Amino acid sequence: MEADVPGTVLKRERTRDAVLELIELRSPGDAIPSERALCSLLGVSRPTVRAAVDELVAAGLLVREHGRGMFVAPAKITQELVAGDRALTVPQAAGAWSSRLLEFTTLQAGARVGRKLRMSPAAEIVYVARLRLVDGAPMAIEHLHIRAELVPGLSAQELESGDLYEHLRTTHGVHVHEAVQAIEPTVVTRAEAKLLDVPELSPALLFERLTSDTAGRPVEYVHSLYRGDRYRIVSRLALGPAAEVAPDREGHHPGIPPGDFAHGDAITSSTRGDIQAGA
């Protein structure tokens, strides 16, 4: 499947979301429809369904059993990492970050994204897929889902230059305040490997983030895939009282493009990341 053909990124994304919807409506150990049945149900080709299922198997959300079918995987154990004050101001990152737009369109939210953004499945969102680069090297693939009514006139140029949250603040009057983010290991698919310039099934970090504004309204749902060979996470945990110190001005919060939240907005995470050159 060609990753640069218009529509293919969105088709894979919607197929993956549809299978995720089936998983989330079931319990661990429950069966999901076969690939053939999913093709008929979703109206997509067998390779598209197989690519989505392969990704979810690799992510540990589905289990294939030879001769029996596909089943919802056992629930994962969640470990929450928080700072002592439950807030973190994100510093500017090292390196020159840029974006290359893969897809940019307006469409209905659908059931799964609608639930996350607390909006009707029929309401419109802006869907963006973009490749994030550092000093010209591909670093991450981001899938953004933004409430369309908040960003009328959002342009491709805003998504390829500068930082998104600054554009939301200055151009659209949207003040992001808090983000809840989950991080887990995964591997890249063939299409993702091509975009990131790494071998298929290379290790990666999957970030899933829900961003809210100062009124507590969900603004954006994002899931991002970061290269495992070039990205690492450093956690700073508050284990007891300490003297107040100035915030570290280097590094990059994983999953959040540099500059985002750089104007004093806080997020509920204590996880910091940086680029591990040559790793």
Side-chain angles (χ1 to χ4, degrees):
M1 193 181 300
E2 294 293 346
D4 51 354
V5 175
T8 57
V9 174
L10 177 58
K11 184 178 290 187
R12 288 196 307 273
E13 172 77 358
R14 299 298 272 185
T15 301
R16 175 184 178 275
D17 276 354
V19 179
L20 271 174
E21 178 79 4
L22 294 175
I23 293 172
E24 292 174 354
L25 292 173
R26 289 163 167 76
S27 300
D30 287 350
I32 69 166
S34 66
E35 288 183 3
R36 185 185 301 274
L38 288 173
C39 290
S40 176
L41 177 67
L42 303 177
V44 295
S45 67
R46 188 73 172 267
T48 299
V49 167
R50 180 160 294 171
V53 169
D54 286 346
E55 180 181 345
L56 295 171
V57 169
L61 299 175
L62 280 178
V63 175
R64 275 196 181 102
E65 294 189 13
H66 184 67
R68 294 192 62 221
M70 298 180 295
F71 301 85
V72 179
K76 295 186 178 182
I77 298 173
T78 300
Q79 173 66 60
E80 184 181 15
L81 302 178
V82 295
D85 58 1
R86 302 186 63 83
L88 174 68
T89 299
V90 181
Q92 195 74 13
W97 285 75
S98 60
S99 300
R100 177 160 67 86
L101 212 57
L102 303 174
E103 293 201 23
F104 177 36
T105 189
T106 300
L107 69 160
Q108 291 184 338
R112 184 169 181 272
V113 173
R115 279 202 308 271
K116 290 183 178 294
L117 293 176
R118 298 208 304 267
M119 59 193 301
S120 165
E124 289 190 333
I125 62 166
V126 174
Y127 167 75
V128 180
R130 61 180 184 171
L131 183 66
R132 299 287 291 169
L133 305 101
V134 177
D135 298 327
M139 186 60 55
I141 302 169
E142 292 183 332
H143 300 270
L144 297 84
H145 310 77
I146 308 169
R147 299 173 76 110
E149 79 271 14
L150 298 179
V151 288
L154 180 68
S155 68
Q157 184 179 7
E158 288 179 81
L159 296 161
E160 290 186 320
S161 62
D163 73 80
L164 175 60
Y165 294 146
E166 182 174 358
H167 285 304
L168 291 180
R169 182 185 304 105
T170 59
T171 307
H172 303 282
V174 177
H175 295 265
V176 295
H177 170 65
E178 184 176 79
V180 177
Q181 182 164 267
I183 309 167
E184 58 184 277
T186 187
V187 296
V188 299
T189 64
R190 181 177 301 175
E192 291 164 345
K194 181 178 178 181
L195 287 170
L196 292 173
D197 194 25
V198 296
E200 185 180 358
L201 301 181
S202 293
L205 294 171
L206 176 65
F207 296 87
E208 188 174 30
R209 183 174 76 253
L210 183 65
T211 306
S212 303
D213 63 12
T214 51
R217 173 182 53 180
V219 169
E220 168 204 50
Y221 164 62
V222 182
H223 65 86
S224 309
L225 191 75
Y226 276 67
R227 286 177 54 166
D229 64 330
R230 293 288 309 277
Y231 213 84
R232 66 179 180 136
I233 302 170
V234 177
S235 298
R236 188 183 302 275
L237 306 179
L239 303 178
E244 199 170 311
V245 295
D248 184 359
R249 301 306 300 173
E250 297 179 354
H252 168 43
H253 188 87
I256 299 181
D260 296 349
F261 292 100
H263 298 268
D265 296 320
I267 57 175
T268 57
S269 171
S270 65
T271 310
R272 297 178 57 249
D274 54 32
I275 301 302
Q276 184 180 14

